Amino acid sequence: MERIVRRSIEISAGGLRCILLCFLVAGAVSTGVARAAELLNYAQSGSPPDPGLQLLQEEPHDLIFFTQDSGAGWVKARLLDLPNRTSISGQTGTLRVEVLGIDDRVFGAKWSDVERIDFWEQRLKRETAERIARRDFKGAYPFLSVLIRDFPNLPELTQIRSDFLWQDAIDRASRSEFVQSLAMLKELRRYNPDYKVERLLGAIDGLNDRLMGQLVEDGKLDDAQKMLSQLEDEYRGQNLKSVAKWNQAFVRMATQRMDQAIAAKDREDYREAHRLARDAVHLRPSLAGAKELVRELNRIYPMVNVGVLQAARDLDPTNMSNWASRRSGRLLYRTLFEMRGAGPEGGEYEFLFGQTEQSADRLEFDLYFEPESLPPPLNQVNGFDVFDRIADRARPESETYFTAFAAALKTMGMNGPKEIRCILRRPHVLPASLLQLPVDGSWFGQEIGAPTGDYERVDVDEVESRYRLINEPRIESQPREIIETKVSSAAEGVAQLLQGEIDVLDQLFPSDAARLKSSRDIRVSEYPLPTVHMLIPCSDHPFVAERTFRRALLYGINREDILKGELLEGFQTPGCQVISGPFPAGKERDDPMGYAYDRTIQPRRYEPSVAKLLVALNQNEMKSAAQRAEKEMPEMTPLRLAYPSDNLSRTACEAIKSQWQLLDLDVELVELPTGASYPQEGTADLVYTSLAIWEPIIDARRLLGPDGLAQSGNQYIGLGLRQLEESRNWREARDRLLLLHFYVSQELPILPLWQLIDSYAYRRQIRGIGTDIVSLYENADQWQLQ
């Protein structure tokens, strides 16, 4: 490599101009227009033009001006290494200069030939001050930023920066930009406490008063309190009038709410009393007697406010496709067999009315009734009525008919009024899972749909659903009311939980769960069983009906990116992962919940080029089939993608839509009505859903069977379901579930997306919720408010 040698040339000012001129001519001849820009780096007369804001695009430099006696002219030089970069008086000898645009040369000039030097930082300072003076704050800001970054010790910098903040704040206030103005004044106060002390504090005080008034008038009391608290902490001892004024105002508002709460309590309007007492504490936590009033109301009439992302309309604790229906259904209805968790061999179930026993050969399943210990109306159970309900499960004409149970049951009988015996056709590994039947009042001679749980729903609107305790509380602190409030987003739910407006949040984004775990006032727990998210075809769209096209759709979704970027927001959450089949994979490899998932089948990668190729291939296949049948080619209508009305589903589907559009597909999003998880016929072609596939042995048919959600008529899927239901032991069941996973990954009756580990959060004042619950309200009868 050629070694570059820097040469130092000692010359007079006139000689400097000659050398520069030689470089100029040589450059113009050799490189033409490309070197013409260097004309602005030196000249024999005059001054360089004012570049304005373009100055910041130039390499930092000092401007050297020569005396008339030496021939005048100027040059742009790289920053000079001088001990005092404010004046050149007293300098003698030779000035060494590196000229911009002329590399590897150092020129020299006598100091006596130098008239003046316009130093780079002085020029930046001058530009900043001039722009501040003419109120061009946007133009001044970049110059000031460079000064702060490169010359933090410049003597005049503190004054310039302070003037900028002060003048810009005044200008913004004149345009009614009060929030921005106050922020700048507070920054100025922190940066330079000695700047215009009385005027600055007076301006902060006045703006704060004005903004507080606006926030209170708009009903944004939370924002007003935060603002007031920050000012009080930051300006303690400064005697700001606005702080004292609004502290008194909040005391008055809190006292008023407390008086109203007491009046509501006296007239036994406990719901209103709770709301007002909470408001009083929120407005002024230190208000005497406010917290005591809340505790008294919790003792007299306990109430819990639950924030929900999905509001419930139809209530069914066994609904695997509707989170809200499953959650709130548990308040109203009990289930004949209730799942309490997952064990090494499938789900762990409790018989609602007593005990069960299965014979060693798994061919006999007995139910023993012990209703005496149950609360009303469950203690009214009649074994003969329950026998009829179970028998209906095997009758094709019954509304509760379930193919898997009918195929498993050989005969039934009763040994007295408190024992039912079921004889099975073949050994079944988990017969209790076949009898997850909601129990309503009709089982006891009451109206159809009458609740059998502890609560009844008494009021529903677009925002709130109110559930009231029916009978006497099981424990003194059991909530008399549970109020579900729909929040517009997970972020809003987290904010309301932190502010005390709600006590429980039923579902969290994994990123929100990670953040909330650091809060002293909040407990966060994970549900033990994951949810599986997928797209399910739900129409006769001719293209969606084709396996090749469904493969294209799957290749066209960057599932890893959507999951980790959009839904998890970069947080690493164990168990949250992209999946290749319809069953949960479990949190870890040895998780018993993953017994149906084949980890050797890898999820399809995001391959948009392959997706486009498959779309074209599918069109050619359909065109050829139409020609052979002498029919017209089906029209490619827009794909209608439906999703439940919660922001997690909305976020995922918006991302999927944008990625499908890259395949030149026309996609329409369809938001389902509140509480719905499946679209009405003819309104959508695919639906995004999260499923509770907690017992794959049974849920496989509920999802994939001809009468299931996917309504699959595929022969391989049908074969896999039949083989699964004929399993005689757990080894056979697991092997056939893995085979069914393979069939699904190839035939794609559903498009698997990802698995999520859901969490719930609650304020520490609530006890008894539990940490390993399948459903939020599993222990609602044990909840206690402290």
Side-chain angles (χ1 to χ4, degrees), residues 633-660:
M633 169 78 174
E635 181 183 0
M636 180 59 183
T637 57
L639 289 176
R640 298 166 298 176
L641 175 57
Y643 61 90
S645 60
D646 65 89
N647 66 320
L648 187 148
S649 301
R650 184 183 304 109
T651 298
C653 288
E654 286 174 349
I656 291 171
K657 174 185 176 180
S658 65
Q659 293 175 3
W660 280 351

PDB file of all heavy atoms in Angstrom, residues 633-660:
ATOM      1  N   MET A 633     -64.364 -20.356 -14.685  1.00  0.00           N
ATOM      2  CA  MET A 633     -63.403 -20.256 -13.581  1.00  0.00           C
ATOM      3  C   MET A 633     -64.022 -19.449 -12.447  1.00  0.00           C
ATOM      4  O   MET A 633     -64.569 -18.367 -12.661  1.00  0.00           O
ATOM      5  CB  MET A 633     -62.143 -19.547 -14.088  1.00  0.00           C
ATOM      6  CG  MET A 633     -61.170 -19.138 -13.009  1.00  0.00           C
ATOM      7  SD  MET A 633     -60.172 -20.495 -12.413  1.00  0.00           S
ATOM      8  CE  MET A 633     -59.044 -19.595 -11.329  1.00  0.00           C
ATOM      9  N   PRO A 634     -63.986 -19.950 -11.190  1.00  0.00           N
ATOM     10  CA  PRO A 634     -64.540 -19.181 -10.066  1.00  0.00           C
ATOM     11  C   PRO A 634     -63.850 -17.818  -9.935  1.00  0.00           C
ATOM     12  O   PRO A 634     -62.656 -17.673 -10.198  1.00  0.00           O
ATOM     13  CB  PRO A 634     -64.249 -20.061  -8.853  1.00  0.00           C
ATOM     14  CG  PRO A 634     -64.079 -21.431  -9.399  1.00  0.00           C
ATOM     15  CD  PRO A 634     -63.474 -21.267 -10.762  1.00  0.00           C
ATOM     16  N   GLU A 635     -64.615 -16.825  -9.523  1.00  0.00           N
ATOM     17  CA  GLU A 635     -64.083 -15.475  -9.366  1.00  0.00           C
ATOM     18  C   GLU A 635     -63.330 -15.354  -8.044  1.00  0.00           C
ATOM     19  O   GLU A 635     -63.754 -15.881  -7.023  1.00  0.00           O
ATOM     20  CB  GLU A 635     -65.219 -14.461  -9.399  1.00  0.00           C
ATOM     21  CG  GLU A 635     -64.762 -13.027  -9.258  1.00  0.00           C
ATOM     22  CD  GLU A 635     -65.922 -12.050  -9.211  1.00  0.00           C
ATOM     23  OE1 GLU A 635     -67.090 -12.514  -9.296  1.00  0.00           O
ATOM     24  OE2 GLU A 635     -65.664 -10.840  -9.082  1.00  0.00           O
ATOM     25  N   MET A 636     -62.204 -14.665  -8.101  1.00  0.00           N
ATOM     26  CA  MET A 636     -61.413 -14.424  -6.893  1.00  0.00           C
ATOM     27  C   MET A 636     -61.969 -13.202  -6.172  1.00  0.00           C
ATOM     28  O   MET A 636     -61.626 -12.065  -6.483  1.00  0.00           O
ATOM     29  CB  MET A 636     -59.941 -14.203  -7.240  1.00  0.00           C
ATOM     30  CG  MET A 636     -59.062 -13.949  -6.020  1.00  0.00           C
ATOM     31  SD  MET A 636     -59.112 -15.310  -4.836  1.00  0.00           S
ATOM     32  CE  MET A 636     -58.083 -14.694  -3.539  1.00  0.00           C
ATOM     33  N   THR A 637     -62.858 -13.425  -5.242  1.00  0.00           N
ATOM     34  CA  THR A 637     -63.461 -12.330  -4.471  1.00  0.00           C
ATOM     35  C   THR A 637     -62.559 -11.982  -3.294  1.00  0.00           C
ATOM     36  O   THR A 637     -61.700 -12.774  -2.902  1.00  0.00           O
ATOM     37  CB  THR A 637     -64.849 -12.729  -3.967  1.00  0.00           C
ATOM     38  OG1 THR A 637     -64.730 -13.941  -3.188  1.00  0.00           O
ATOM     39  CG2 THR A 637     -65.791 -12.982  -5.133  1.00  0.00           C
ATOM     40  N   PRO A 638     -62.722 -10.793  -2.699  1.00  0.00           N
ATOM     41  CA  PRO A 638     -61.876 -10.414  -1.547  1.00  0.00           C
ATOM     42  C   PRO A 638     -62.001 -11.419  -0.403  1.00  0.00           C
ATOM     43  O   PRO A 638     -63.079 -11.971  -0.141  1.00  0.00           O
ATOM     44  CB  PRO A 638     -62.425  -9.047  -1.145  1.00  0.00           C
ATOM     45  CG  PRO A 638     -63.048  -8.505  -2.386  1.00  0.00           C
ATOM     46  CD  PRO A 638     -63.617  -9.691  -3.098  1.00  0.00           C
ATOM     47  N   LEU A 639     -60.882 -11.658   0.268  1.00  0.00           N
ATOM     48  CA  LEU A 639     -60.882 -12.521   1.447  1.00  0.00           C
ATOM     49  C   LEU A 639     -61.374 -11.722   2.642  1.00  0.00           C
ATOM     50  O   LEU A 639     -60.809 -10.677   2.975  1.00  0.00           O
ATOM     51  CB  LEU A 639     -59.473 -13.036   1.726  1.00  0.00           C
ATOM     52  CG  LEU A 639     -58.894 -14.068   0.761  1.00  0.00           C
ATOM     53  CD1 LEU A 639     -57.455 -14.375   1.144  1.00  0.00           C
ATOM     54  CD2 LEU A 639     -59.720 -15.338   0.764  1.00  0.00           C
ATOM     55  N   ARG A 640     -62.417 -12.200   3.288  1.00  0.00           N
ATOM     56  CA  ARG A 640     -62.974 -11.529   4.457  1.00  0.00           C
ATOM     57  C   ARG A 640     -62.466 -12.237   5.712  1.00  0.00           C
ATOM     58  O   ARG A 640     -62.818 -13.381   5.957  1.00  0.00           O
ATOM     59  CB  ARG A 640     -64.499 -11.540   4.404  1.00  0.00           C
ATOM     60  CG  ARG A 640     -65.079 -10.786   3.206  1.00  0.00           C
ATOM     61  CD  ARG A 640     -66.552 -11.108   3.020  1.00  0.00           C
ATOM     62  NE  ARG A 640     -66.749 -12.539   2.743  1.00  0.00           N
ATOM     63  CZ  ARG A 640     -67.956 -13.112   2.623  1.00  0.00           C
ATOM     64  NH1 ARG A 640     -69.048 -12.389   2.777  1.00  0.00           N
ATOM     65  NH2 ARG A 640     -68.040 -14.399   2.371  1.00  0.00           N
ATOM     66  N   LEU A 641     -61.634 -11.526   6.466  1.00  0.00           N
ATOM     67  CA  LEU A 641     -61.023 -12.090   7.670  1.00  0.00           C
ATOM     68  C   LEU A 641     -61.706 -11.498   8.898  1.00  0.00           C
ATOM     69  O   LEU A 641     -61.620 -10.300   9.152  1.00  0.00           O
ATOM     70  CB  LEU A 641     -59.522 -11.773   7.690  1.00  0.00           C
ATOM     71  CG  LEU A 641     -58.742 -12.189   8.937  1.00  0.00           C
ATOM     72  CD1 LEU A 641     -58.868 -13.685   9.200  1.00  0.00           C
ATOM     73  CD2 LEU A 641     -57.270 -11.787   8.804  1.00  0.00           C
ATOM     74  N   ALA A 642     -62.407 -12.337   9.646  1.00  0.00           N
ATOM     75  CA  ALA A 642     -63.145 -11.887  10.830  1.00  0.00           C
ATOM     76  C   ALA A 642     -62.308 -12.093  12.086  1.00  0.00           C
ATOM     77  O   ALA A 642     -61.449 -12.981  12.148  1.00  0.00           O
ATOM     78  CB  ALA A 642     -64.461 -12.643  10.949  1.00  0.00           C
ATOM     79  N   TYR A 643     -62.578 -11.258  13.111  1.00  0.00           N
ATOM     80  CA  TYR A 643     -61.857 -11.374  14.371  1.00  0.00           C
ATOM     81  C   TYR A 643     -62.741 -10.857  15.502  1.00  0.00           C
ATOM     82  O   TYR A 643     -63.587  -9.992  15.295  1.00  0.00           O
ATOM     83  CB  TYR A 643     -60.550 -10.578  14.322  1.00  0.00           C
ATOM     84  CG  TYR A 643     -60.730  -9.103  14.099  1.00  0.00           C
ATOM     85  CD1 TYR A 643     -60.887  -8.219  15.162  1.00  0.00           C
ATOM     86  CD2 TYR A 643     -60.766  -8.576  12.811  1.00  0.00           C
ATOM     87  CE1 TYR A 643     -61.058  -6.860  14.960  1.00  0.00           C
ATOM     88  CE2 TYR A 643     -60.943  -7.221  12.591  1.00  0.00           C
ATOM     89  CZ  TYR A 643     -61.082  -6.372  13.665  1.00  0.00           C
ATOM     90  OH  TYR A 643     -61.267  -5.032  13.468  1.00  0.00           O
ATOM     91  N   PRO A 644     -62.566 -11.389  16.724  1.00  0.00           N
ATOM     92  CA  PRO A 644     -63.328 -10.892  17.886  1.00  0.00           C
ATOM     93  C   PRO A 644     -62.959  -9.442  18.184  1.00  0.00           C
ATOM     94  O   PRO A 644     -61.888  -8.967  17.821  1.00  0.00           O
ATOM     95  CB  PRO A 644     -62.894 -11.827  19.021  1.00  0.00           C
ATOM     96  CG  PRO A 644     -62.321 -13.030  18.345  1.00  0.00           C
ATOM     97  CD  PRO A 644     -61.724 -12.535  17.063  1.00  0.00           C
ATOM     98  N   SER A 645     -63.864  -8.760  18.886  1.00  0.00           N
ATOM     99  CA  SER A 645     -63.672  -7.323  19.136  1.00  0.00           C
ATOM    100  C   SER A 645     -62.779  -7.086  20.351  1.00  0.00           C
ATOM    101  O   SER A 645     -63.192  -6.524  21.359  1.00  0.00           O
ATOM    102  CB  SER A 645     -65.026  -6.633  19.350  1.00  0.00           C
ATOM    103  OG  SER A 645     -65.699  -7.196  20.468  1.00  0.00           O
ATOM    104  N   ASP A 646     -61.530  -7.538  20.262  1.00  0.00           N
ATOM    105  CA  ASP A 646     -60.523  -7.214  21.279  1.00  0.00           C
ATOM    106  C   ASP A 646     -59.254  -6.817  20.547  1.00  0.00           C
ATOM    107  O   ASP A 646     -59.025  -7.205  19.397  1.00  0.00           O
ATOM    108  CB  ASP A 646     -60.268  -8.404  22.207  1.00  0.00           C
ATOM    109  CG  ASP A 646     -59.654  -9.585  21.479  1.00  0.00           C
ATOM    110  OD1 ASP A 646     -58.419  -9.640  21.394  1.00  0.00           O
ATOM    111  OD2 ASP A 646     -60.407 -10.441  20.987  1.00  0.00           O
ATOM    112  N   ASN A 647     -58.422  -6.026  21.193  1.00  0.00           N
ATOM    113  CA  ASN A 647     -57.314  -5.422  20.458  1.00  0.00           C
ATOM    114  C   ASN A 647     -56.184  -6.397  20.168  1.00  0.00           C
ATOM    115  O   ASN A 647     -55.408  -6.184  19.242  1.00  0.00           O
ATOM    116  CB  ASN A 647     -56.778  -4.177  21.183  1.00  0.00           C
ATOM    117  CG  ASN A 647     -56.134  -4.496  22.517  1.00  0.00           C
ATOM    118  OD1 ASN A 647     -56.626  -5.333  23.269  1.00  0.00           O
ATOM    119  ND2 ASN A 647     -55.034  -3.838  22.817  1.00  0.00           N
ATOM    120  N   LEU A 648     -56.065  -7.501  20.906  1.00  0.00           N
ATOM    121  CA  LEU A 648     -55.064  -8.498  20.565  1.00  0.00           C
ATOM    122  C   LEU A 648     -55.385  -9.134  19.219  1.00  0.00           C
ATOM    123  O   LEU A 648     -54.533  -9.233  18.337  1.00  0.00           O
ATOM    124  CB  LEU A 648     -54.972  -9.562  21.661  1.00  0.00           C
ATOM    125  CG  LEU A 648     -53.847 -10.589  21.518  1.00  0.00           C
ATOM    126  CD1 LEU A 648     -53.359 -11.041  22.894  1.00  0.00           C
ATOM    127  CD2 LEU A 648     -54.274 -11.816  20.716  1.00  0.00           C
ATOM    128  N   SER A 649     -56.645  -9.567  19.050  1.00  0.00           N
ATOM    129  CA  SER A 649     -57.059 -10.167  17.780  1.00  0.00           C
ATOM    130  C   SER A 649     -56.971  -9.150  16.652  1.00  0.00           C
ATOM    131  O   SER A 649     -56.556  -9.471  15.533  1.00  0.00           O
ATOM    132  CB  SER A 649     -58.491 -10.696  17.897  1.00  0.00           C
ATOM    133  OG  SER A 649     -58.598 -11.653  18.929  1.00  0.00           O
ATOM    134  N   ARG A 650     -57.366  -7.913  16.958  1.00  0.00           N
ATOM    135  CA  ARG A 650     -57.321  -6.860  15.926  1.00  0.00           C
ATOM    136  C   ARG A 650     -55.886  -6.613  15.468  1.00  0.00           C
ATOM    137  O   ARG A 650     -55.614  -6.500  14.270  1.00  0.00           O
ATOM    138  CB  ARG A 650     -57.927  -5.577  16.485  1.00  0.00           C
ATOM    139  CG  ARG A 650     -58.029  -4.438  15.467  1.00  0.00           C
ATOM    140  CD  ARG A 650     -58.578  -3.175  16.107  1.00  0.00           C
ATOM    141  NE  ARG A 650     -59.870  -3.417  16.746  1.00  0.00           N
ATOM    142  CZ  ARG A 650     -60.054  -3.430  18.060  1.00  0.00           C
ATOM    143  NH1 ARG A 650     -59.031  -3.196  18.880  1.00  0.00           N
ATOM    144  NH2 ARG A 650     -61.247  -3.657  18.570  1.00  0.00           N
ATOM    145  N   THR A 651     -54.964  -6.538  16.418  1.00  0.00           N
ATOM    146  CA  THR A 651     -53.564  -6.304  16.076  1.00  0.00           C
ATOM    147  C   THR A 651     -53.024  -7.413  15.192  1.00  0.00           C
ATOM    148  O   THR A 651     -52.349  -7.156  14.184  1.00  0.00           O
ATOM    149  CB  THR A 651     -52.725  -6.203  17.364  1.00  0.00           C
ATOM    150  OG1 THR A 651     -53.185  -5.097  18.139  1.00  0.00           O
ATOM    151  CG2 THR A 651     -51.255  -6.022  17.044  1.00  0.00           C
ATOM    152  N   ALA A 652     -53.316  -8.663  15.551  1.00  0.00           N
ATOM    153  CA  ALA A 652     -52.828  -9.796  14.766  1.00  0.00           C
ATOM    154  C   ALA A 652     -53.407  -9.786  13.354  1.00  0.00           C
ATOM    155  O   ALA A 652     -52.683  -9.988  12.369  1.00  0.00           O
ATOM    156  CB  ALA A 652     -53.177 -11.103  15.477  1.00  0.00           C
ATOM    157  N   CYS A 653     -54.694  -9.526  13.234  1.00  0.00           N
ATOM    158  CA  CYS A 653     -55.343  -9.589  11.915  1.00  0.00           C
ATOM    159  C   CYS A 653     -54.937  -8.422  11.022  1.00  0.00           C
ATOM    160  O   CYS A 653     -54.852  -8.576   9.793  1.00  0.00           O
ATOM    161  CB  CYS A 653     -56.862  -9.641  12.080  1.00  0.00           C
ATOM    162  SG  CYS A 653     -57.439 -11.228  12.716  1.00  0.00           S
ATOM    163  N   GLU A 654     -54.682  -7.268  11.609  1.00  0.00           N
ATOM    164  CA  GLU A 654     -54.191  -6.161  10.789  1.00  0.00           C
ATOM    165  C   GLU A 654     -52.825  -6.488  10.209  1.00  0.00           C
ATOM    166  O   GLU A 654     -52.532  -6.155   9.051  1.00  0.00           O
ATOM    167  CB  GLU A 654     -54.130  -4.884  11.632  1.00  0.00           C
ATOM    168  CG  GLU A 654     -55.502  -4.276  11.909  1.00  0.00           C
ATOM    169  CD  GLU A 654     -55.428  -3.091  12.855  1.00  0.00           C
ATOM    170  OE1 GLU A 654     -54.348  -2.871  13.455  1.00  0.00           O
ATOM    171  OE2 GLU A 654     -56.448  -2.389  13.010  1.00  0.00           O
ATOM    172  N   ALA A 655     -51.981  -7.153  10.987  1.00  0.00           N
ATOM    173  CA  ALA A 655     -50.666  -7.554  10.486  1.00  0.00           C
ATOM    174  C   ALA A 655     -50.803  -8.624   9.403  1.00  0.00           C
ATOM    175  O   ALA A 655     -50.112  -8.582   8.376  1.00  0.00           O
ATOM    176  CB  ALA A 655     -49.801  -8.065  11.636  1.00  0.00           C
ATOM    177  N   ILE A 656     -51.698  -9.599   9.613  1.00  0.00           N
ATOM    178  CA  ILE A 656     -51.915 -10.646   8.616  1.00  0.00           C
ATOM    179  C   ILE A 656     -52.441 -10.034   7.309  1.00  0.00           C
ATOM    180  O   ILE A 656     -51.994 -10.392   6.215  1.00  0.00           O
ATOM    181  CB  ILE A 656     -52.895 -11.699   9.164  1.00  0.00           C
ATOM    182  CG1 ILE A 656     -52.241 -12.488  10.301  1.00  0.00           C
ATOM    183  CG2 ILE A 656     -53.342 -12.652   8.054  1.00  0.00           C
ATOM    184  CD1 ILE A 656     -53.193 -13.406  11.041  1.00  0.00           C
ATOM    185  N   LYS A 657     -53.363  -9.108   7.422  1.00  0.00           N
ATOM    186  CA  LYS A 657     -53.901  -8.455   6.224  1.00  0.00           C
ATOM    187  C   LYS A 657     -52.798  -7.780   5.422  1.00  0.00           C
ATOM    188  O   LYS A 657     -52.717  -7.941   4.198  1.00  0.00           O
ATOM    189  CB  LYS A 657     -54.951  -7.422   6.625  1.00  0.00           C
ATOM    190  CG  LYS A 657     -55.457  -6.577   5.452  1.00  0.00           C
ATOM    191  CD  LYS A 657     -56.398  -5.474   5.906  1.00  0.00           C
ATOM    192  CE  LYS A 657     -56.799  -4.582   4.717  1.00  0.00           C
ATOM    193  NZ  LYS A 657     -57.719  -3.507   5.138  1.00  0.00           N
ATOM    194  N   SER A 658     -51.937  -7.014   6.090  1.00  0.00           N
ATOM    195  CA  SER A 658     -50.887  -6.292   5.376  1.00  0.00           C
ATOM    196  C   SER A 658     -49.931  -7.260   4.674  1.00  0.00           C
ATOM    197  O   SER A 658     -49.438  -6.972   3.582  1.00  0.00           O
ATOM    198  CB  SER A 658     -50.116  -5.388   6.337  1.00  0.00           C
ATOM    199  OG  SER A 658     -49.428  -6.156   7.307  1.00  0.00           O
ATOM    200  N   GLN A 659     -49.679  -8.420   5.287  1.00  0.00           N
ATOM    201  CA  GLN A 659     -48.773  -9.397   4.664  1.00  0.00           C
ATOM    202  C   GLN A 659     -49.439 -10.122   3.502  1.00  0.00           C
ATOM    203  O   GLN A 659     -48.786 -10.411   2.490  1.00  0.00           O
ATOM    204  CB  GLN A 659     -48.273 -10.373   5.721  1.00  0.00           C
ATOM    205  CG  GLN A 659     -47.365  -9.700   6.746  1.00  0.00           C
ATOM    206  CD  GLN A 659     -46.942 -10.615   7.871  1.00  0.00           C
ATOM    207  OE1 GLN A 659     -47.278 -11.800   7.883  1.00  0.00           O
ATOM    208  NE2 GLN A 659     -46.216 -10.075   8.843  1.00  0.00           N
ATOM    209  N   TRP A 660     -50.725 -10.406   3.608  1.00  0.00           N
ATOM    210  CA  TRP A 660     -51.433 -11.023   2.476  1.00  0.00           C
ATOM    211  C   TRP A 660     -51.555 -10.057   1.302  1.00  0.00           C
ATOM    212  O   TRP A 660     -51.561 -10.470   0.152  1.00  0.00           O
ATOM    213  CB  TRP A 660     -52.807 -11.490   2.926  1.00  0.00           C
ATOM    214  CG  TRP A 660     -52.766 -12.808   3.645  1.00  0.00           C
ATOM    215  CD1 TRP A 660     -51.699 -13.651   3.771  1.00  0.00           C
ATOM    216  CD2 TRP A 660     -53.838 -13.448   4.333  1.00  0.00           C
ATOM    217  NE1 TRP A 660     -52.031 -14.763   4.497  1.00  0.00           N
ATOM    218  CE2 TRP A 660     -53.346 -14.671   4.850  1.00  0.00           C
ATOM    219  CE3 TRP A 660     -55.165 -13.109   4.565  1.00  0.00           C
ATOM    220  CZ2 TRP A 660     -54.137 -15.544   5.578  1.00  0.00           C
ATOM    221  CZ3 TRP A 660     -55.963 -13.984   5.298  1.00  0.00           C
ATOM    222  CH2 TRP A 660     -55.453 -15.187   5.794  1.00  0.00           C
TER     223      TRP A 660
END
